[in-house]
Each structure stands twice: as structure tokens, then as C-alpha cells.
Amino acid sequence: MAASYGKQITVQALIDRGLASGDTFQERKLRSGEGKIKVAFLSFSSGTTGMPKAVAIPHYAPIANVIQLAAHHRLNDPQWEDQRFGRDDICCAVLPLYHIYGLVFNTHFSFFSGIPIVLTVTKFNFLDFLKSIVRHRITHLMLVPPQVVLLCKHPAVKEYDFSHVRYLTSGAAPLSRELMERLIEIFPNASIGQSYGTTESSTVITTWSLDKKCDLSGSAGQLLPGITARVEKPDGTLADFDEPGELVAKTPSLALGYAGNSKATRETFVNGWLRTGDEVRMNRRGEIFVLDRLKEMLKVRGFQVAPAELEGCILDHPDVVDTCVVGVQDDYSGELPLAFVVLRHDAAKHVRNDPTAAHEIKQSIMKHVADNKVAYKKLAGGVEFIDVVPKNPSGKLLRRVLRDKAREMRSRPAAKL
């Protein structure tokens, strides 16, 4: 047996001990084709608009998605000089590994690319995260919008040099152009763009093309190889280019359905196609622009309003560090946008010390939106200050929680929105 140091047995000693012992189990080998139908694991959907559902992922799905990503990025292609993923890179796994984004894209694809992964924190702390990027010379960041907002808004960011970072993507929800431009300032040498995927597709459906170093178009990129998609209008007909509709996709990485929920499975997985529930538009370049979850879209006087669009605008206000927009019922307009807002520390302190400041800041935020958006998108539902925007562990806004809060506020006799 290999040597041990003191009372501590070395890893090699454990390996030698294992190799010297007899077989204690029968290795399970899948039969031909079984990988496409046998469940490998259950991954829970985000639950942003309702309760999370257990998505049944077969063995074949994550393998297929990793290969799709490799083909898109031309991984190890000697004819492609500007490789986004290389063996000298280091990836930061700041996303929860039990979420499909962190598990397949952030982890499995990084390993497939030969990139080591740094597990920096057990519980996300932004300042520790910044220190880890520099300490470990992290080159690749796979993030969600709340983390991007912190990078763009937190005053501590300017104290760090991130010139070694060369790849950054954000998924889970759309980012505004203002946030993307700020990211380019913070990470001047990085390829930056957005990606899009779902738990039901075992992660990535789109990411930005290789001919763009940084994608400021606002799109989530183009379909990965092997994916077919269409954009459907509410009546089931195909939407034209740049016309909004639901994204319906077919991919080899498709899940089997929802465990124990046949009704939801029938509604979402239709004849081999995935009804994503996301409203998008597709341009003539094949780029997908994610507008919002269909269930989260507001309808104001017959016009559809994407909360994410308003949130991007609100985040550009100097007093705001985080926000979430929900709809409140209105007899005349049907729904009105209401913004829950987290203020910067100095602005929040000003509000606590001066009772009139709250009204002034709320009016300033509402004016900011009105000045930058068409009339029906203004915050006619008002602005409410909160301490923190509720999010699930993967960083998605729990809009349903604040929708319930807004409903409760309106039910109080003295409440005024």
C-alpha cells in the first residue's frame, strides 16, 4: 500500500486499497437506446410564476446539450483562432449546482472543455465573489441577472481589476442594453452576451454567435446546432420576423416530462416539441429576443407589457439597486405596472431621515420610466420600496411572491398604491 503521512492516509493509498479489493457491485450498463428514456435525475423548474415542477431528465439529454454547445463554440477546432473556451481558462461555479444552468452549462460543459472549476462559496456573498474572481484569476463567468445587477451597481466593483476575465454570459432572464454596456466597461477583454435555456430543454437553447465578441443587440443569441424552433402567435399560426409569440422548440436534449404531473406534461411537451411558455421575437438573422414569460406579461389597455423591459429601465435610475415589476388589477386598464424597488444605501438612508424624500424618489423613478417608454408602459400602478427582491436559489425573480404582496396591499382599506 502507498505511504501515508502521519495518521493521514493519502489519496493514492485509498486508490491502491480500492484496486486491491474485489468487486463489490455490478456496474449498471444501459441498453442501446435506454439513455433516451431512462431518468438520470430530477431537476426542479424555477417556480417563478407557480410552484416548481420536477423535470425528468434522461441520461441522453445533458450529454446532447454539452455536444451542442461544443459544436456551436467550435471547441478545439484548429481552424478557429478565437476560442472562447481553452485549457488555460478557469471557470467560477457561483451558480447552484442543483439547478440545470449550474449543473449542465456551468459544470459539465466546462469539464468537457477541459476547464477547471472553482467552487468559491457555499452561500453567495457578493464581496467574497469579487475577491474570488481576482484571487483565482477566474476567466469565465456564467451568471444570472441579479448578479449582473450587483456587478453594475455595487460601489466595490471599481476597486478590482477584471482585465483577465475573457468570457461572461447571463441567462435566466433578459438584460437591458444599459446593463450590457456597463458590463463591457467592467470586463474590457471579455466576450459578453446572453444565453437562453430551460430546465425542460436540459439547459441551453440559444447563445450569441461567434462572429460577435460582445452582443449588444439585446438578443439571447441563435439556436444551437440540432435545435429547431418556431414562434407561434396565440391563435397557433406562425409569427412573422420580429413579431412576438411563444417559442416552441425541438431539441435532442429534451426532458421526458414532469414527474407525477401528467397534465402539465401534456400541456408543455407536445408531439416532441417543447412549449417554453416564453414570449420571444425572432429577427431575420435567426436571433431570439426573449421578452418575458407569457404568464408574467402584463396587459395594459390591450397592449402587452414585458415586466423585464421596465425593470431594465428602472435599474438605470441612479437611486435603484434592484427591482421587480408586477401587474395590479385596474377596472379601466385591466392591469397597471407596479414597481417594487430596492434603493441604494444612501437613498434609503435619506428616505428614513426625511419623510418627504420617499415621495420625491418615487416620482423621480416614475418620471424616468415615463421619459423613456411609451405612455401605456408608465408605472401607473406606482412604486413601492422594499428591503430585498425575493429570488429563488438560481437568481430568478419570484414575481408571484410580490404579486401576492401587491394583491394583499390593495385589499387593505387604507392601502394606496
Side-chain angles (χ1 to χ4, degrees), residues 140-286:
H140 282 54
L141 296 171
M142 298 170 187
L143 308 175
V144 289
Q147 295 163 343
V148 171
V149 171
L150 284 171
L151 284 168
C152 295
K153 291 276 187 175
H154 200 288
V157 173
K158 64 178 181 294
E159 300 174 10
Y160 294 87
D161 176 14
F162 298 125
S163 59
H164 57 282
V165 176
R166 68 183 209 90
Y167 175 90
L168 186 153
T169 190
S170 175
L175 292 177
S176 68
R177 183 183 179 91
E178 291 80 8
L179 289 175
M180 294 296 293
E181 289 175 340
R182 178 65 183 129
L183 282 178
I184 292 173
E185 294 176 4
I186 300 170
F187 301 97
N189 298 321
S191 294
I192 299 175
Q194 301 186 61
S195 302
Y196 164 79
T198 69
T199 307
E200 292 80 356
S201 63
S202 193
T203 326
V204 187
I205 293 177
T206 68
T207 194
W208 79 105
S209 64
L210 292 182
D211 61 5
K212 294 182 178 181
K213 179 177 174 63
C214 295
D215 187 357
L216 286 174
S217 68
S219 84
Q222 299 173 329
L223 297 171
L224 294 186
I227 297 180
T228 305
R230 62 181 186 264
V231 180
E232 283 190 9
K233 294 192 290 187
D235 62 4
T237 60
L238 292 179
D240 201 350
F241 289 113
D242 294 315
E243 187 177 11
E246 181 182 7
L247 180 67
V248 184
K250 179 180 286 188
T251 174
S253 63
L254 192 65
L256 298 174
Y258 298 112
N261 194 335
S262 57
K263 181 177 182 293
T265 297
R266 289 193 301 271
E267 293 172 349
T268 304
F269 300 87
V270 182
N271 298 324
W273 293 81
L274 169 66
R275 304 199 68 87
T276 65
D278 289 316
E279 182 169 64
V280 306
R281 61 181 178 85
M282 181 189 298
N283 65 16
R284 293 182 181 276
R285 285 175 50 89

Side-chain angles (χ1 to χ4, degrees), residues 120-139:
T120 55
V121 289
T122 53
K123 185 175 181 180
F124 182 74
N125 177 286
F126 184 65
L127 294 180
D128 289 342
F129 171 55
L130 296 181
K131 294 174 184 176
S132 295
I133 296 174
V134 175
R135 181 188 308 119
H136 300 288
R137 305 297 292 174
I138 302 295
T139 59

Side-chain angles (χ1 to χ4, degrees), residues 98-112:
Y98 55 79
H99 185 264
I100 201 73
Y101 181 7
L103 179 63
V104 177
F105 190 15
N106 199 163
T107 306
H108 282 77
F109 178 64
S110 295
F111 284 149
F112 186 82

Side-chain angles (χ1 to χ4, degrees), residues 353-375:
N353 295 336
D354 182 359
T356 64
H359 177 74
E360 293 173 358
I361 294 177
K362 287 181 180 180
Q363 291 300 310
S364 175
I365 294 171
M366 293 172 69
K367 183 178 185 301
H368 174 73
V369 173
D371 289 345
N372 288 278
K373 299 296 175 182
V374 297

